[in-house]
Amino acid sequence: MPDVIYSLAGKRVYVAGHRGMVGSAIVRRLESEGCEILTVAHAEVDLRRQDQVEAWMAKNRPDAVFLAAAKVGGILANDTYPADFLYDNLILEANVIHAAYEARVEKLMFLGSSCIYPKLADQPIVEDALLTGSLEPTNEWYAIAKIAGLKLCAAYRKQHGKDFISAMPTNLYGPGDNFDLASSHVMPALIRKAHEAKVNGDKEIRIWGTGTPKREFLHVDDCADACVYLMKTYSAESHVNVGSGKDISILELAQLVAEVIGFEGDITRDLTKPDGTPRKLMSADKLRRLGWSPKIGLKEGIADAYHSFLNGHYLKRHIEAAE
């Protein structure tokens, strides 16, 4: 492991978005760091309200911030509510980042998304591919907000010398995921579809599109571990991809999910639905050079996510991810 340049021990660490999947995983991971974890409910502080965010930050004075709060959703949600995804994410990240600067926060990590990259970027996607081509139209609103967030961190570093860094996770899944079929991502949607088909005795489950697009997945606990690792060992303007370095087709993923859950029916394709980006695999080379690699395999991770779903450990509404 590289030298620790920022120890979290004894620090007051604010996790924005602690009720979301990523934020709750970061909270779990921080419990072994010897720090004081700060969180605040949406009912007390609406991150879209600048006055509320600045007042809370000034009063509580965190030393470090993990900005994991976001309004998130899949293709359908992004395509249906473009204004919500752009405005809510822009405003909440700007509020938290500026308030952290005003409150003299020592270090901040902004969590982005792999959708920041061009739709047809060379694979695997390196960090330098940012802003080299057009975005995937079905989620460009969310992507633009996330690009603005990482650039805002870079701007505060350049103008004010703040140690604000950015990490770009790949597709995440695991405890605390959103299993609402109207707003979820592909992994939780497949898990829920396979479970309900098994319970109901259905003969098939249907996936969107051709099933040929390839996607990369990382268990959220691995993501949280990588984020804490980077917070302690990394300081630079450029963002870092956080991923597994491996991808799988949607059809193969559906087959693996069915195997883990025990659904023995057919998997059919709805060719009237969009595929989205043909392939999206981020390069993990930079993160590997920094000394971090994932520990949870895909099959093991799916089993853990399914166990969490059965135990009710998931979001009831996708908007809670912004709390």
Side-chain angles (χ1 to χ4, degrees):
M1 178 175 176
D3 293 338
V4 173
I5 59 175
Y6 186 78
S7 174
L8 293 169
K11 301 289 188 179
R12 292 168 58 82
V13 183
Y14 170 43
V15 180
H18 73 284
R19 295 186 64 186
M21 178 173 64
V22 181
S24 60
I26 291 174
V27 168
R28 291 194 299 272
R29 175 60 183 81
L30 286 173
E31 290 172 354
S32 62
E33 289 297 318
C35 59
E36 180 183 355
I37 303 170
L38 305 179
T39 62
V40 60
H42 177 74
E44 297 178 54
V45 176
D46 183 343
L47 297 183
R48 296 168 299 182
R49 291 287 303 274
Q50 184 179 13
D51 57 340
Q52 295 183 19
V53 177
E54 291 187 353
W56 185 90
M57 199 81 78
K59 178 181 179 181
N60 290 274
R61 294 285 173 179
D63 300 302
V65 174
F66 286 89
L67 179 41
K71 184 180 184 68
V72 298
I75 291 176
L76 178 62
N78 275 270
D79 198 43
T80 306
Y81 307 107
D84 292 352
F85 276 89
L86 183 54
Y87 175 81
D88 285 358
N89 285 298
L90 277 175
I91 201 69
L92 74 85
E93 66 197 25
N95 287 343
V96 174
I97 291 168
H98 183 71
Y101 160 69
E102 292 285 350
R104 299 182 180 179
V105 165
E106 296 169 351
K107 192 157 190 175
L108 177 145
M109 172 180 281
F110 172 72
L111 275 294
S113 166
S114 61
C115 70
I116 64 170
Y117 293 116
K119 177 178 181 178
L120 300 177
D122 291 339
Q123 308 287 320
I125 308 171
V126 297
E127 285 83 355
D128 288 344
L130 180 67
L131 298 177
T132 60
S134 300
L135 300 167
E136 162 58 45
T138 57
N139 63 5
E140 66 176 339
W141 320 104
Y142 182 70
I144 288 170
K146 287 299 183 178
I147 292 170
L150 75 89
K151 287 298 185 182
L152 192 59
C153 286
Y156 276 84
R157 173 180 286 271
K158 182 176 181 180
Q159 182 175 338
H160 300 295
K162 299 303 297 182
D163 193 2
F164 291 177
I165 63 176
S166 297
M168 297 300 119
T170 187
N171 298 302
L172 303 175
Y173 69 98
D177 210 341
N178 170 27
F179 287 84
D180 176 11
L181 294 179
S183 60
S184 64
H185 291 102
V186 62
M187 178 72 85
L190 286 174
I191 290 174
R192 179 168 175 178
K193 284 182 179 181
H195 169 75
E196 292 182 350
K198 175 185 175 182
V199 171
N200 296 331
D202 296 337
K203 295 182 179 180
E204 68 174 31
I205 58 173
R206 179 165 293 189
I207 60 174
W208 277 30
T210 64
T212 58
K214 303 186 78 173
R215 293 292 182 270
E216 174 187 13
F217 296 93
L218 184 71
H219 192 283
V220 70
D221 286 339
D222 267 340
C223 177
D225 186 62
C227 289
V228 171
Y229 182 92
L230 289 171
M231 186 70 108
K232 294 163 62 175
T233 63
Y234 183 76
S235 178
E237 178 180 329
S238 60
H239 60 281
V240 181
N241 290 341
V242 177
S244 65
K246 301 177 181 178
D247 59 2
I248 184 174
S249 75
I250 298 301
L251 180 57
E252 291 172 326
L253 176 65
Q255 293 167 340
L256 184 57
V257 168
E259 177 187 343
V260 170
I261 291 175
F263 171 69
E264 298 179 350
D266 295 329
I267 298 172
T268 60
R269 299 170 296 169
D270 183 353
L271 300 181
T272 67
K273 295 295 192 295
D275 272 341
T277 305
R279 189 186 187 201
K280 191 164 62 175
L281 172 64
M282 297 197 307
S283 170
D285 290 349
K286 185 174 182 178
L287 186 56
R288 298 298 182 272
R289 288 195 300 269
L290 291 169
W292 186 90
S293 58
K295 303 177 181 64
I296 303 171
L298 185 56
K299 188 172 183 179
E300 174 191 357
I302 292 171
D304 179 67
Y306 183 45
H307 180 73
S308 297
F309 171 72
L310 293 177
N311 288 333
H313 187 185
Y314 57 88
L315 294 182
K316 302 300 188 295
R317 304 186 314 276
H318 71 278
I319 59 171
E320 290 183 355
E323 295 184 1

